[in-house]
């Protein structure tokens, strides 16, 4: 079969424009190419026993309005709108059928003079019109379309049906908000993964080797973070990949593991994985051990209860005998009733003990705790308006030979403790009435050379393990006999923290196995392997002062970034625990550390929540400045540039390079491209100290700012500095969009349209919308677009 092209020459930008406009149609804009006039190609072929004319519209996906008319030996194909067409020499290719062909002067039709009478038959195939010229004596059915054309039409129909199904599924997902809850059940012999959907879903599971694929019908992501943070040995990896057709969960299982899949209901799907024999045996042994321990604990509790009841019964009978009271002098001690006095605005609570009594007093939040080493009961003081004005509660908790007094303050007062004879006097006022002897901690080494700490207490009493019911932690508290001595401030070490106290020593352990003991006049704080302390005799390096961490507005986000989901959860829990249990300035610092951890891992809104709580209690200006800068960074990441700029525009940050870097990003997000470009030039040198995601954000915003201010050289430099391999799918489309804009600005229209076409095909909605706009703008600038149709497309 001979095929001859009409020989129409197209400009190169039109080919690229055709791809982009076709992409626009297939991606749902639903419009044909918006060209000023349609262009057509005419192909003429001499077939076996008939002649064929093919009119092709390569820039369309369908045919324009047309009419085929054969009358008086003239075949006319007319169009409603003008069509540009150049005719080949039709008479040379079809000498038996056509004598001449010409295009109408108004470009609205093409006419062919036929040599003899013929049967004319036309067929449509997408953007192509087939016109067959058959002899009058033609027998049978008209000629059919070429097989490759039929296959192409079938492929298009299949693609269109698939695209329609995908669009319908996306619309249903938008309306129904499907979501899956993933639960993990750990049983003695198997592991169960349960996927519970809030709407009906279809699912299928396929196992190929060690890879299992679970496909769901809804095109939405599934949160697997909790499972990824604590993967069982049978699952080496699990990832979720949402697609336009659904959501795919891929499991990489251990060798020999064969999961079982069940569809319990249209909304519940289960994957069971058998445990290995070794794990089953270990699980059974653990369960048996736990059961045995529970039985032993129950038996011990029953025995202890019986012994306690027997002791109470024996004690009740013995208390009637005077000899018993003489044998135990402490049993005859009278109860202690505190007295309250108001001396010039200072409330004095006196505890009149009959003998010298060791005690410890410390404050945590609004609670003053007092521990007294005495078996004598302590009563609540008589009703006092002065005490009620500053305290909301007074309670006593007996604990063997120790009495614990809890005083809840409703007003902020300073607490001091003094001894008067054998009495302890707690003073609550606006000033310190009596000086407390400072308690100093000294590092030392034990006989094995391990570090330990000692505290000189004079006459220490007992070491008590005290669980704070308010904070929830356990403290080691050392009571001390008079005179009053305590720690003036919190002292934090690697393995423990010595808390501020009014009197006595209060230690909060940070390492398992920490031991607090009495050694003569001292309290000894030690670990079996020694405390972690700096060797004062060792050499120390000097800081250069030029590193990033010494810049005033630098926050080390790279140091807190965590990419492992399991470690991320562990570090978050640890920081939350510290922030919840710390006090005073240490609590402010812990909250700031938590907020910076959130910022470094791109949890901007969580960081904002922590910082809002911090700002209500923060009193230290040194931390306040860091907190404000951290808030500005969080606002920037959270797409709140106005709030970020309200902080970063302050004079205190104007000359600091790190603050300028964040201000550059915030200004770009608020469309102040002139200011963003200026800040980017001033802070470009600072980005090397930040994580990759911060660098990429800065560079991409810098490229946009440079383009908007016509600084093409800077745009080139920033674009070349972007590490393309590390970009997220969203940032890839932004990179391609900016690449296209740079090509557009330099007059490289073909490359610009190609780049915009890649963005459109990626279907990332914000960048796709801008890419469609820029495509039509470039076509308009090159005179290849109908403005009315372009406006409809936009």
């Amino acid at each position: 079969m001979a095929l001859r092209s009409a020989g129409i020459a197209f400009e190169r930008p039109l080919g690229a424009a055709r791809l982009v406009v076709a992409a626009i149609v297939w991606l749902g804009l639903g419009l044909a190419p918006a060209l000023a006039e349609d262009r057509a190609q005419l192909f003429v072929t001499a077939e076996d026993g008939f002649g064929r004319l093919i009119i092709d519209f390569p820039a369309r996906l369908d045919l324009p309005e047309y009419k085929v008319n054969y009358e008086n030996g003239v075949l006319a194909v007319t169009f409603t709108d003008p069509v540009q067409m150049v005719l080949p020499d039709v008479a040379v290719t079809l000498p038996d059928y056509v004598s001449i062909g010409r295009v109408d002067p108004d470009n609205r039709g093409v006419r062919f003079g036929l040599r003899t009478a013929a049967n004319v038959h036309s067929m449509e195939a997408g953007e192509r019109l087939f016109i067959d010229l058959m002899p009058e004596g033609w027998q049978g059915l008209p000629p059919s379309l070429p097989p490759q054309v039929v296959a192409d039409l079938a492929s298009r129909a299949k693609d269109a049906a698939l695209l329609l199904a995908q669009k319908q599924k996306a619309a249903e997902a938008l309306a129904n908000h499907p979501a899956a809850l993933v639960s993990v059940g750990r049983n003695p012999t198997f592991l169960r993964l349960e996927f519970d959907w809030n709407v009906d879903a279809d699912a299928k599971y396929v196992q190929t080797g060690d890879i299992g694929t679970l496909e769901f019908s809804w095109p939405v992501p599934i949160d697997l973070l909790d499972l990824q943070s604590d993967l069982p040995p049978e699952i080496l990896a699990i990832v979720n990949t949402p697609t336009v057709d659904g959501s795919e969960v891929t499991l990489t299982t251990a060798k020999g593991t064969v999961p079982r899949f069940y569809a319990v209901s249209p909304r519940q799907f289960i994957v069971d994985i058998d445990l290995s024999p070794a794990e089953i045996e270990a699980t059974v042994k653990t369960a048996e051990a736990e059961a045995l321990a529970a039985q032993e604990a129950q038996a011990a509790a029953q025995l202890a209860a019986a012994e306690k009841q027997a002791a109470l019964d024996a004690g009740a009978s013995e208390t009637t005998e005077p000899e018993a009271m003489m044998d135990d002098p402490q049993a005859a001690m009278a109860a202690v009733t505190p007295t309250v006095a108001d001396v010039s605005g200072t409330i004095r609570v006196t505890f009149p003990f009959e003998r010298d009594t060791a005690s410890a007093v410390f404050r945590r939040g609004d609670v003053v705790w007092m521990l007294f080493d005495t078996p004598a009961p302590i009563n609540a003081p008589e009703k006092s308006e002065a005490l009620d004005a500053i305290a909301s509660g007074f309670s006593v908790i007996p604990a063997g030979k120790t009495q614990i007094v809890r005083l809840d303050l409703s007003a902020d007062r300073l607490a001091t403790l003094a001894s008067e004879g054998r009495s302890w006097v707690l003073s609550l006022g606006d000033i310190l009435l009596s000086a407390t002897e400072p308690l100093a901690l000294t590092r030392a080494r034990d006989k094995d050379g391990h570090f330990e700490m000692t505290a000189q207490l004079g006459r220490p009493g007992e070491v008590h393990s005290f669980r704070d019911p308010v904070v929830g932690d356990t403290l080691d508290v050392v009571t001390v006999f008079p005179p009053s001595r305590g720690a003036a401030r919190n002292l934090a070490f690697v393995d423990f923290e010595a808390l501020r106290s009014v009197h006595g020593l209060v230690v909060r352990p940070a390492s398992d196995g920490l031991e607090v003991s009495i050694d003569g006049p001292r309290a000894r704080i030690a670990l079996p392997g020694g405390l972690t302390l700096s060797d004062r005799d060792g050499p120390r390096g000097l800081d250069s002062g030029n590193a990033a961490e010494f810049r005033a507005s630098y926050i080390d986000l790279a140091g807190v970034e965590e990419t492992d989901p399991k470690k991320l959860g562990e570090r978050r829990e640890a920081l939350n625990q510290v922030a919840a249990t710390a006090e005073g300035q240490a609590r402010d610092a812990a909250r700031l550390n938590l907020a910076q951890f959130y910022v470094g891992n791109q949890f901007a809104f969580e960081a904002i929540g922590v910082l809002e709580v911090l700002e209500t209690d923060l009193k230290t200006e040194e931390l306040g400045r860091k907190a404000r800068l951290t808030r500005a960074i969080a606002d920037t990441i959270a797409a709140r540039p106005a709030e970020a700029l309200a902080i970063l525009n302050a004079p205190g940050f104007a000359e600091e390079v790190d603050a300028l870097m964040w201000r550059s990003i915030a200004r770009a997000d608020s469309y102040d491209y002139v200011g963003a470009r200026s800040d980017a030039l001033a802070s470009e040198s600072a980005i090397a100290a930040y994580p990759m995601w911060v660098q990429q954000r800065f560079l991409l915003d810098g490229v946009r700012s440079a383009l908007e201010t016509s600084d093409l050289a800077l745009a080139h430099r920033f674009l070349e500095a972007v590490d393309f391999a590390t970009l997220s799918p969203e940032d890839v489309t932004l990179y391609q969009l900016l690449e296209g804009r740079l090509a557009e600005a330099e007059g490289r229209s073909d490359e610009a349209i190609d780049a915009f076409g890649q963005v459109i095909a990626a279907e990332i909605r914000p960048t796709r919308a801008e890419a469609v706009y820029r495509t039509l703008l470039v076509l308009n600038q090159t005179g290849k677009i109908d403005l009315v149709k372009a406006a409809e497309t936009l």
Side-chain angles (χ1 to χ4, degrees):
M1 178 177 65
L3 179 65
R4 180 169 181 174
S5 170
I8 300 174
F10 287 90
E11 300 175 9
R12 187 167 180 266
L14 182 61
R18 176 190 177 193
L19 293 177
V20 174
V21 176
I24 294 174
V25 174
W26 281 103
L27 288 172
L29 293 182
L31 293 177
L35 301 180
E37 289 186 3
D38 287 321
R39 293 173 179 254
Q41 292 178 336
L42 177 63
F43 299 95
V44 183
T45 64
E47 304 291 342
D48 185 11
F50 67 94
R52 173 164 283 178
L53 305 176
I54 306 172
I55 302 177
D56 183 16
F57 291 84
R60 298 180 62 104
L61 293 174
D62 60 353
L63 288 170
E65 292 187 21
Y66 73 94
K67 180 185 290 187
V68 178
N69 185 46
Y70 174 52
E71 188 176 356
N72 298 327
V74 176
L75 173 64
V77 183
T78 57
F79 303 96
T80 303
D81 296 321
V83 173
Q84 294 186 18
M85 182 186 302
V86 178
L87 293 184
D89 193 348
V90 183
V92 174
T93 307
L94 296 176
D96 296 335
Y97 298 95
V98 181
S99 60
I100 190 172
R102 68 175 180 83
V103 177
D104 292 349
D106 60 358
N107 288 337
R108 293 180 183 272
V110 57
R111 301 176 188 274
F112 304 94
L114 304 187
R115 292 186 181 276
T116 62
N119 291 324
V120 177
H121 176 259
S122 63
M123 296 176 291
E124 295 182 4
E127 72 279 5
R128 284 172 287 187
L129 175 63
F130 288 77
I131 302 176
D132 293 333
L133 306 177
M134 300 170 290
E136 282 189 310
W138 180 270
Q139 299 294 323
L141 297 174
S144 60
L145 293 173
Q148 63 270 25
V149 174
V150 175
D152 180 57
L153 290 176
S155 176
R156 289 190 188 185
K158 182 179 178 181
D159 292 342
L162 179 61
L163 179 61
L164 179 60
Q166 292 172 351
K167 293 173 74 67
Q168 289 176 343
K169 181 63 70 174
E172 291 175 5
L174 190 62
N176 297 326
H177 304 289
L181 176 64
V182 182
S183 304
V184 182
R186 302 177 187 274
N187 301 286
T189 59
F190 67 95
L191 173 76
R192 169 162 291 180
L193 306 182
E194 183 174 312
F195 297 82
D196 293 298
W197 288 86
N198 61 343
V199 294
D200 290 352
D202 295 327
K204 65 178 182 178
Y205 183 84
V206 177
Q207 183 77 22
T208 305
D210 296 333
I211 304 297
T213 304
L214 179 58
E215 297 180 358
F216 294 103
S217 55
W218 290 109
V220 295
I222 299 174
D223 187 2
L224 301 173
L225 182 60
D226 290 341
L227 180 58
Q228 291 170 335
S229 301
D230 188 17
L231 285 176
E234 290 74 21
I235 302 178
L236 304 181
I238 182 168
V239 295
N240 171 236
T241 307
T243 67
V244 293
D245 298 316
S247 191
E248 183 177 285
V249 177
T250 304
L251 297 90
T252 303
T253 57
K255 190 172 183 180
T257 301
V258 181
R260 298 184 301 278
F261 172 72
Y262 309 95
V264 179
S265 71
R267 298 191 178 190
Q268 187 179 73
F269 306 93
I270 290 175
V271 177
D272 285 345
I273 301 175
D274 289 333
L275 301 180
S276 64
E279 287 183 278
I280 294 175
E281 183 179 357
T283 303
V284 171
K285 288 183 178 179
T286 301
E288 292 175 349
E290 291 177 352
L292 181 60
Q295 293 175 358
E296 292 177 351
Q298 183 178 6
Q302 293 174 350
L303 179 60
E307 292 176 348
K308 181 178 180 180
Q309 186 61 41
L312 290 175
D313 294 342
S317 61
E318 291 174 359
T319 53
T320 59
E321 301 179 6
E323 293 81 359
M325 299 177 62
M326 296 182 63
D327 293 339
D328 186 9
Q330 290 182 340
M333 294 178 63
V336 176
T337 302
T339 59
V340 180
D342 185 352
V343 180
S344 300
T346 298
I347 308 304
R348 290 165 49 89
V349 184
T350 303
F351 295 85
F353 292 104
E354 297 179 356
R355 62 184 68 183
D356 288 342
T357 304
S359 67
V361 180
F362 58 97
R363 178 175 174 176
R364 304 193 81 184
D366 296 328
V367 180
V368 176
W369 294 101
M370 293 170 277
L371 280 70
F372 297 101
D373 287 345
T374 177
I378 298 178
N379 299 325
E382 295 181 0
K383 183 71 174 177
S384 169
E385 294 182 0
L387 183 61
D388 291 343
I390 65 169
S392 59
F394 184 101
S395 58
V396 180
I397 306 168
K401 295 183 179 181
T402 304
Q403 306 296 316
I404 303 174
V405 177
R406 172 177 174 172
L407 182 63
D408 294 279
L409 298 180
S410 57
D412 193 10
R413 292 292 186 270
L414 297 174
T416 57
L417 190 71
S419 60
E420 295 180 359
R422 293 177 175 175
S423 300
W424 283 110
V425 180
L426 175 70
S427 299
L428 302 169
D430 296 327
I431 59 174
L432 297 175
L433 295 183
S434 56
T436 299
E437 184 177 340
L439 188 155
L441 294 177
T442 306
R443 73 185 66 207
R445 293 182 184 270
D446 60 14
K447 60 182 181 179
D448 298 324
H450 297 149
F451 279 115
E452 61 182 17
M453 297 287 283
T454 61
Q456 289 292 339
L457 301 178
R459 289 197 301 157
E462 301 289 338
V463 179
H464 302 275
S465 181
F466 172 77
R467 186 182 184 279
D468 190 330
V470 178
V471 179
D473 57 359
T474 300
L475 309 176
D476 291 321
V477 181
V478 182
T479 56
V480 183
F481 287 93
S484 176
R485 66 182 69 202
R489 60 188 179 90
N490 291 344
L491 299 173
F493 299 91
V494 174
D495 300 307
F496 70 95
E497 185 177 6
L499 303 183
R500 181 176 58 185
S501 63
V502 179
H503 176 61
L505 175 65
V506 182
V507 175
R508 179 167 61 191
S511 297
D512 294 336
L514 188 79
E515 180 183 356
V516 180
S517 58
I518 302 299
D519 183 12
R522 303 175 303 170
R524 178 174 170 270
I525 306 170
L527 272 173
L531 299 175
T532 303
L533 299 172
S534 300
D535 188 350
R536 292 175 298 178
D537 301 325
R540 290 178 175 241
L542 297 176
D543 295 322
S544 65
N546 295 322
E549 55 267 28
F550 292 98
R551 300 197 298 258
S553 60
Y554 173 74
I555 295 178
D556 184 13
L557 300 184
V560 298
E561 184 181 24
E562 183 56 70
T563 57
D564 187 316
K566 183 176 183 179
K567 293 181 180 178
L568 176 70
E570 292 173 351
R571 290 182 63 182
R572 180 187 60 197
E573 290 302 320
L575 289 170
N576 268 302
Q577 179 67 20
V578 174
T581 57
E583 294 182 357
Q585 187 173 349
R587 179 178 59 188
D588 294 341
R591 287 175 173 173
L592 181 58
N593 290 338
L594 177 60
Q596 291 179 353
F597 171 79
Y598 279 137
V599 169
N601 291 281
Q602 304 183 61
F603 294 104
F605 292 101
E606 288 81 353
I608 291 172
V610 173
L611 291 168
E612 286 181 349
V613 174
L614 173 61
E615 290 167 3
T616 59
D617 299 330
L618 187 61
K619 299 180 178 62
T620 306
E621 177 57 28
E622 180 183 358
L623 287 180
R625 192 174 189 283
K626 283 287 187 183
R628 287 193 296 274
L629 180 61
T630 306
R631 176 62 184 268
I633 297 173
D635 284 330
T636 302
I637 300 172
R640 302 170 57 172
E643 291 83 350
L645 290 173
I647 300 173
L648 296 172
N649 285 332
F653 294 121
E655 300 301 326
E656 296 182 3
V657 65
D658 297 278
L660 291 179
M661 185 204 73
W662 291 109
R663 192 171 73 174
S664 171
I665 298 174
R667 281 182 162 178
D669 291 346
S670 61
Y671 312 111
D672 177 13
Y673 296 115
V674 174
R677 173 186 173 275
S678 175
D679 287 345
L681 287 171
S683 59
E684 180 183 1
S685 61
I687 66 172
Y690 288 90
M692 184 58 67
W693 64 268
V694 177
Q695 298 182 35
Q696 306 289 48
R697 175 82 179 269
F698 172 85
L699 291 170
L700 291 173
D701 281 348
V703 174
R704 183 179 287 277
S705 300
L707 287 171
E708 297 293 346
T709 55
S710 301
D711 189 346
L712 302 187
L714 182 62
H716 266 296
R717 180 153 58 86
F718 279 173
L719 200 62
E720 291 173 356
V722 173
D723 186 355
F724 186 83
T726 64
L727 293 177
S728 66
E730 292 80 3
D731 285 343
V732 166
T733 63
L734 178 57
Y735 178 94
Q736 293 169 336
L737 177 68
L738 296 174
E739 194 175 38
R741 289 204 54 190
L742 185 58
E744 175 191 348
E746 293 179 340
R748 295 179 281 117
S749 301
D750 300 352
E751 297 178 26
I753 291 180
D754 288 342
F756 296 147
Q758 293 176 356
V759 178
I760 294 171
E763 196 63 38
I764 304 297
R765 295 179 67 182
T767 49
R768 173 187 178 275
E770 186 173 355
V772 171
Y773 164 71
R774 303 303 306 189
T775 299
L776 298 176
L777 186 63
V778 172
L779 292 176
N780 179 52
Q781 291 170 347
T782 55
K784 298 180 175 65
I785 198 167
D786 186 316
L787 293 182
V788 176
K789 292 185 178 180
E792 294 174 357
T793 301
L794 290 175

